[in-house]
Amino acid sequence: MLHDTVEDTLASLEDIEKQFGPGVARLVDGVTKLSRIELQAIRPSRRKIFANSFSRCRKISRVLLVKLADRLHNMRTLHYLKDSDKRRRIARETLEIYAPLAERIGIEKMQDELEDLAFAELFPDARSSIVARLQFPA
């Protein structure tokens, strides 16, 4: 619930630590830093570097899990964004960064949902056609 607090409000990391303790503050700080890296990962070459750096980690970071959960929530509510270019950018990032990360750490159900939601945004006609074919086989 606090993952966007530092970015979106006047609260500081110190405020969060005072209210919720150092463990929660470290998680919020990690998610905030991950978001900054995400902004730098615009070019396709950087996306691959970003994804590969996490795949090498032996211990799954709680920060990464929070970030993946945040992205899944963002994708579930993507239709509320009015800016279609922003929706498409978020969907592309999801397919190129977050779904592969979920796959690499073994969260197949999350990967499937991220890919499905992103595909629905980027290729709505193709998705509708696929869903229709799966529901009513010839």
Side-chain angles (χ1 to χ4, degrees):
M1 291 173 47
L2 297 171
H3 66 277
D4 286 333
T5 304
V6 174
E7 294 173 319
D8 296 344
T9 71
L10 297 176
S12 69
L13 201 54
E14 292 77 24
D15 296 332
I16 291 172
E17 186 171 350
K18 286 177 190 171
Q19 287 283 43
F20 300 99
V24 172
R26 279 193 302 276
L27 283 173
V28 171
D29 186 42
V31 171
T32 301
K33 287 177 181 173
L34 193 56
S35 295
R36 288 185 194 127
I37 292 170
E38 175 183 282
L39 292 175
Q40 297 171 3
I42 301 299
R43 292 180 295 169
S45 61
R46 286 190 171 202
R47 286 187 182 114
K48 186 174 181 179
I49 292 167
F50 181 75
N52 287 338
S53 68
F54 282 103
S55 69
R56 293 187 185 107
C57 293
R58 292 185 184 187
K59 183 177 179 184
I60 298 172
S61 166
R62 289 187 295 172
V63 171
L64 178 58
L65 293 175
V66 169
K67 192 62 183 172
L68 283 170
D70 179 45
R71 178 51 62 121
L72 181 57
H73 174 262
N74 291 346
M75 289 303 298
R76 287 175 176 170
T77 58
L78 191 63
H79 59 279
Y80 291 112
L81 284 178
K82 293 180 182 174
D83 184 344
S84 63
D85 288 337
K86 187 172 184 177
R87 286 195 317 267
R88 292 180 63 76
R89 179 187 56 77
I90 291 169
R92 274 192 303 277
E93 284 178 1
T94 299
L95 279 178
E96 295 172 2
I97 297 172
Y98 294 97
L101 282 174
E103 177 186 28
R104 286 185 178 123
I105 63 174
I107 309 175
E108 185 176 321
K109 188 173 180 178
M110 183 181 280
Q111 174 200 356
D112 290 345
E113 188 173 354
L114 288 169
E115 288 174 339
D116 185 51
L117 291 167
F119 192 78
E121 178 62 37
L122 295 170
F123 311 104
D125 294 337
R127 184 183 181 280
S128 294
S129 175
I130 292 168
V131 169
R133 289 178 189 180
L134 291 173
Q135 290 177 348
F136 302 105

